[in-house]
Amino acid sequence: MSGIAHHLVKRGIEHTQDRYRTGTFAQDGDNKPFGHPHIVAAALVITALLWFFALSAVQYIYGGVVATLTMIETPTATAFKVDPVESDEADAPLLSSDEKKSSTTEPDLFYVKTKPITSKIRTTIRHIVAEAGPWARFRGLQVALAYHFIHHILFQVLTALFGGAIISQSLAAVVTAVVLCRLQMLWTHVVISTPSEKKWYRRFPTIDAGKKVILPTAVWALAEQATIYVPLALFVVFDLEGYFRNPASFNELSPMQQKSVMLAAFAVMMSGFATAVLVVFPASVTLKRVQASLLPEEYDSIVPFDRSFGGKVQPQVVGGTGVVSMLDAWKTFDWSARFRLIKLYAKIFAIQVSATVFFILFAVFQVRMINGDYILY
């Protein structure tokens, strides 16, 4: 969604620049004067910046913080004790005092699974704000900014070293993710733990802990690249490049051929979506849960979290590995949690689409208000 919106904004800015240089708007084949180009340009730039910050906030708060908490939460169960009582019904069998003593039973225990905190966005935000204050929505933001800044620089350096080809860029992306795996794990630990007096840069995971997340980080980074190469491979197989470079050639095809090309284009788009759901989704969940399993004992989690992963993880002090395996990390993430996370992603997508439509309409409204009925085409 963000990629599509970025493309539309880029095209809109380019078109606005053309109109700004000519000082006219095109409407019904006539050139009409562009009355306030500076004001319109400033308004559109401010609107674009507001749109960017709004979508970034949605992606970080909901797609980052809330999604990570959803990935690691372990719903708790509340036990209720029910004591046995003697029946007072008329047809109940009469028991002697000795029989009553012998028939005494232990109280029955009933376990009721509580509703997960992350079942709704609102309850999640309320919980973390109550636990960590009003800025808890942006917890870990400093680590995230440091990660993305270093990631950008390192990626550019490695891309220059490996060459500018697309395969070189993918290799650079994977290597960069692996090199920064400790910093990424630090972000996860800051997000899922209760507030600490320590500064974030004093909470770096140990080198030994970093070694344990190299493999899941590499798998996740490769899965991210798969969302590029799978659609790209189908794009080449279906020979769609010619229509992309020369859209007019599509009109020269017969109706049947046009349908075939449209189906091929649809298959390319769906392949990217399928790769994201079937490959990136499990890889991302697995990585976060492996990182969470390495949360130091001195820190408590801000949501209920089973550090033993159902007894599959033993602490190092008793001879265990102290980390959940990739397979167990995914298997212990049950289907109810998976559907909860998918619903969250669907809500995020809907919010981003709604925000984008709102800002587009708001930009159109501004142009109409400033220049009367003149509108950008």
Side-chain angles (χ1 to χ4, degrees), residues 273-345:
F273 175 77
T275 304
V277 173
L278 301 177
V279 181
V280 178
F281 181 81
S284 180
V285 170
T286 299
L287 174 60
K288 291 301 180 186
R289 290 174 68 80
V290 171
Q291 292 172 338
S293 71
L294 292 165
L295 179 69
E297 293 289 340
E298 61 182 294
Y299 302 112
D300 295 323
S301 59
I302 200 167
V303 295
F305 171 51
D306 180 15
R307 292 174 181 262
S308 70
F309 288 83
K312 297 183 182 297
V313 178
Q314 295 295 327
Q316 287 183 309
V317 293
V318 296
T321 61
V323 60
V324 67
S325 68
M326 293 178 63
L327 183 59
D328 288 335
W330 174 247
K331 288 172 63 177
T332 54
F333 190 64
D334 60 26
W335 279 104
S336 62
R338 296 174 191 178
F339 284 126
R340 193 164 68 247
L341 184 58
I342 290 173
K343 284 171 58 179
L344 172 64
Y345 284 143

Side-chain angles (χ1 to χ4, degrees), residues 134-302:
W135 290 101
R137 297 175 177 85
F138 298 97
R139 56 195 352 248
L141 182 59
Q142 292 177 316
V143 185
L145 292 175
Y147 174 84
H148 288 295
F149 177 74
I150 300 173
H151 185 285
H152 175 75
I153 294 176
L154 185 57
F155 174 75
Q156 295 298 330
V157 171
L158 292 176
T159 300
L161 291 175
F162 296 155
I166 186 171
I167 188 68
S168 300
Q169 294 179 4
S170 295
L171 178 61
V174 174
V175 173
T176 302
V178 172
V179 171
L180 299 179
C181 64
R182 289 175 63 202
L183 186 56
Q184 188 187 41
M185 179 162 56
L186 171 62
W187 180 84
T188 300
H189 288 177
V190 171
V191 168
I192 69 173
S193 62
T194 53
S196 171
E197 294 181 355
K198 286 185 178 181
K199 297 293 185 180
W200 65 267
Y201 48 81
R202 297 185 181 276
R203 294 182 55 179
F204 255 93
T206 63
I207 295 177
D208 181 59
K211 292 178 180 178
K212 295 177 180 179
V213 297
I214 288 178
L215 181 58
T217 301
V219 171
W220 166 77
L222 288 170
E224 290 275 329
Q225 297 305 309
T227 59
I228 299 174
Y229 283 100
V230 171
L232 183 61
L234 290 178
F235 188 81
V236 174
V237 169
F238 292 140
D239 194 22
L240 297 177
E241 185 177 1
Y243 306 109
F244 182 78
R245 292 182 179 275
N246 183 20
S249 62
F250 179 79
N251 297 326
E252 300 174 0
L253 301 176
S254 65
M256 186 62 67
Q257 290 175 322
Q258 289 181 348
K259 290 182 180 179
S260 299
V261 172
M262 292 174 65
L263 287 175
F266 179 75
V268 171
M269 291 187 295
M270 290 304 298
S271 67
F273 175 77
T275 304
V277 173
L278 301 177
V279 181
V280 178
F281 181 81
S284 180
V285 170
T286 299
L287 174 60
K288 291 301 180 186
R289 290 174 68 80
V290 171
Q291 292 172 338
S293 71
L294 292 165
L295 179 69
E297 293 289 340
E298 61 182 294
Y299 302 112
D300 295 323
S301 59
I302 200 167

